[in-house]
Amino acid sequence: MQGLHLTADLRHCQCESVWLTDAKRLLDHCVRQVLAAGLQPVNQLVHSFPATGQGPGGVTATVLLAESHLCVHTWPEQMGVTVDVYVCNFGADHSAKARHLMDALVALFAPGQVMRQALQRGGFG
Protein backbone atom coordinates (compact mmCIF):
# COMPACT_ATOMS: atom_id res chain seq x y z
CA MET A 1 0.00 0.00 0.00
CA GLN A 2 3.02 2.31 -0.01
CA GLY A 3 2.53 5.13 -2.46
CA LEU A 4 2.59 8.83 -3.26
CA HIS A 5 -0.58 10.88 -3.72
CA LEU A 6 -0.05 14.29 -5.37
CA THR A 7 -2.72 16.95 -5.79
CA ALA A 8 -2.66 20.37 -7.41
CA ASP A 9 -5.34 23.06 -7.33
CA LEU A 10 -4.85 25.47 -10.24
CA ARG A 11 -6.40 28.93 -10.47
CA HIS A 12 -6.30 31.66 -13.10
CA CYS A 13 -5.25 29.21 -15.83
CA GLN A 14 -3.78 30.97 -18.86
CA CYS A 15 -4.03 27.99 -21.25
CA GLU A 16 -6.16 27.90 -24.38
CA SER A 17 -9.78 27.46 -23.24
CA VAL A 18 -10.09 24.29 -25.34
CA TRP A 19 -7.97 22.45 -22.71
CA LEU A 20 -10.74 23.14 -20.19
CA THR A 21 -13.67 22.07 -22.38
CA ASP A 22 -12.60 19.55 -25.05
CA ALA A 23 -12.93 16.15 -23.39
CA LYS A 24 -11.27 14.08 -26.12
CA ARG A 25 -8.35 16.45 -26.54
CA LEU A 26 -7.74 16.60 -22.79
CA LEU A 27 -7.97 12.83 -22.32
CA ASP A 28 -5.64 12.15 -25.27
CA HIS A 29 -3.11 14.58 -23.81
CA CYS A 30 -3.37 12.94 -20.38
CA VAL A 31 -2.66 9.51 -21.86
CA ARG A 32 0.34 10.88 -23.81
CA GLN A 33 1.72 12.45 -20.63
CA VAL A 34 1.20 9.24 -18.65
CA LEU A 35 3.25 7.37 -21.25
CA ALA A 36 5.91 10.11 -21.35
CA ALA A 37 6.27 9.81 -17.58
CA GLY A 38 6.90 6.07 -17.92
CA LEU A 39 3.63 4.98 -16.32
CA GLN A 40 1.22 2.36 -17.70
CA PRO A 41 -2.34 3.32 -18.69
CA VAL A 42 -4.77 0.40 -18.44
CA ASN A 43 -8.10 2.18 -19.02
CA GLN A 44 -9.57 5.65 -19.40
CA LEU A 45 -12.81 7.53 -18.97
CA VAL A 46 -13.87 11.08 -19.72
CA HIS A 47 -17.03 13.02 -19.03
CA SER A 48 -18.14 16.43 -20.32
CA PHE A 49 -20.48 18.51 -18.22
CA PRO A 50 -23.17 20.66 -19.86
CA ALA A 51 -22.88 24.41 -20.09
CA THR A 52 -24.68 26.47 -17.48
CA GLY A 53 -25.66 30.09 -17.15
CA GLN A 54 -22.19 30.66 -15.71
CA GLY A 55 -20.37 29.39 -18.80
CA PRO A 56 -19.21 26.30 -20.68
CA GLY A 57 -19.20 22.94 -18.98
CA GLY A 58 -16.04 21.39 -17.64
CA VAL A 59 -14.46 17.99 -18.08
CA THR A 60 -13.45 15.13 -15.83
CA ALA A 61 -10.72 12.96 -17.37
CA THR A 62 -9.49 9.83 -15.62
CA VAL A 63 -6.70 7.49 -16.63
CA LEU A 64 -6.53 4.25 -14.69
CA LEU A 65 -2.89 3.27 -14.28
CA ALA A 66 -1.31 -0.08 -13.51
CA GLU A 67 0.31 1.99 -10.73
CA SER A 68 -3.03 3.65 -9.66
CA HIS A 69 -4.64 6.71 -11.29
CA LEU A 70 -4.63 10.21 -12.77
CA CYS A 71 -7.72 12.40 -12.57
CA VAL A 72 -8.21 15.93 -13.94
CA HIS A 73 -11.28 18.11 -13.30
CA THR A 74 -11.77 21.43 -15.11
CA TRP A 75 -13.93 24.46 -14.28
CA PRO A 76 -13.75 26.67 -17.39
CA GLU A 77 -16.10 29.27 -15.93
CA GLN A 78 -13.57 29.80 -13.13
CA MET A 79 -10.42 29.09 -15.21
CA GLY A 80 -9.64 26.42 -12.63
CA VAL A 81 -8.40 22.84 -12.64
CA THR A 82 -7.68 20.16 -10.06
CA VAL A 83 -5.20 17.38 -10.77
CA ASP A 84 -4.81 14.18 -8.77
CA VAL A 85 -1.96 11.70 -9.35
CA TYR A 86 -1.61 8.62 -7.17
CA VAL A 87 0.99 5.92 -7.65
CA CYS A 88 1.47 2.79 -5.62
CA ASN A 89 5.09 1.92 -5.01
CA PHE A 90 4.65 -1.85 -4.77
CA GLY A 91 7.67 -3.50 -6.35
CA ALA A 92 9.24 -0.20 -7.49
CA ASP A 93 9.26 3.46 -6.50
CA HIS A 94 7.18 5.41 -9.05
CA SER A 95 7.36 8.72 -7.15
CA ALA A 96 9.62 10.48 -9.67
CA LYS A 97 7.27 9.43 -12.49
CA ALA A 98 4.29 10.81 -10.58
CA ARG A 99 6.08 14.13 -10.07
CA HIS A 100 7.01 14.27 -13.76
CA LEU A 101 3.38 13.66 -14.75
CA MET A 102 2.10 16.31 -12.34
CA ASP A 103 4.64 18.88 -13.55
CA ALA A 104 3.65 18.27 -17.20
CA LEU A 105 -0.05 18.73 -16.47
CA VAL A 106 0.45 21.85 -14.37
CA ALA A 107 2.53 23.33 -17.21
CA LEU A 108 -0.25 22.60 -19.72
CA PHE A 109 -2.76 24.72 -17.83
CA ALA A 110 -0.32 27.60 -17.12
CA PRO A 111 -1.95 28.60 -13.84
CA GLY A 112 -1.47 31.97 -12.17
CA GLN A 113 -1.79 30.27 -8.78
CA VAL A 114 -0.92 26.71 -7.76
CA MET A 115 -1.48 24.89 -4.50
CA ARG A 116 0.31 21.52 -4.42
CA GLN A 117 0.11 18.83 -1.81
CA ALA A 118 1.87 15.49 -1.41
CA LEU A 119 0.79 12.67 0.84
CA GLN A 120 2.77 9.51 1.53
CA ARG A 121 0.21 6.71 1.62
CA GLY A 122 0.29 3.38 3.44
CA GLY A 123 2.72 4.50 6.11
CA PHE A 124 1.95 1.79 8.63
CA GLY A 125 4.97 1.01 10.85
Side-chain angles (χ1 to χ4, degrees):
M1 291 176 28
Q2 297 288 330
L4 178 64
H5 196 158
L6 303 174
T7 65
D9 299 337
L10 314 178
R11 296 180 51 127
H12 311 293
C13 293
Q14 309 282 320
C15 63
E16 294 176 50
S17 62
V18 68
W19 290 114
L20 304 174
T21 58
D22 186 327
K24 181 176 177 357
R25 186 171 180 185
L26 179 58
L27 183 62
D28 289 348
H29 185 77
C30 287
V31 171
R32 283 193 305 275
Q33 292 305 315
V34 162
L35 292 168
L39 297 166
Q40 301 173 62
V42 296
N43 210 337
Q44 54 194 295
L45 181 65
V46 68
H47 179 77
S48 295
F49 292 89
T52 68
Q54 296 177 324
V59 173
T60 292
T62 302
V63 181
L64 182 64
L65 307 175
E67 301 83 5
S68 197
H69 71 266
L70 159 67
C71 194
V72 178
H73 305 279
T74 71
W75 285 268
E77 71 281 6
Q78 297 178 25
M79 299 305 288
V81 177
T82 61
V83 182
D84 182 82
V85 177
Y86 177 43
V87 293
C88 297
N89 287 331
F90 184 78
D93 186 351
H94 301 289
S95 299
K97 295 173 183 179
R99 288 185 186 95
H100 177 86
L101 177 56
M102 178 63 80
D103 290 346
L105 290 170
V106 169
L108 170 70
F109 295 109
Q113 281 185 296
V114 180
M115 182 176 70
R116 292 183 187 230
Q117 297 183 58
L119 174 65
Q120 292 295 326
R121 308 276 313 259
F124 297 106

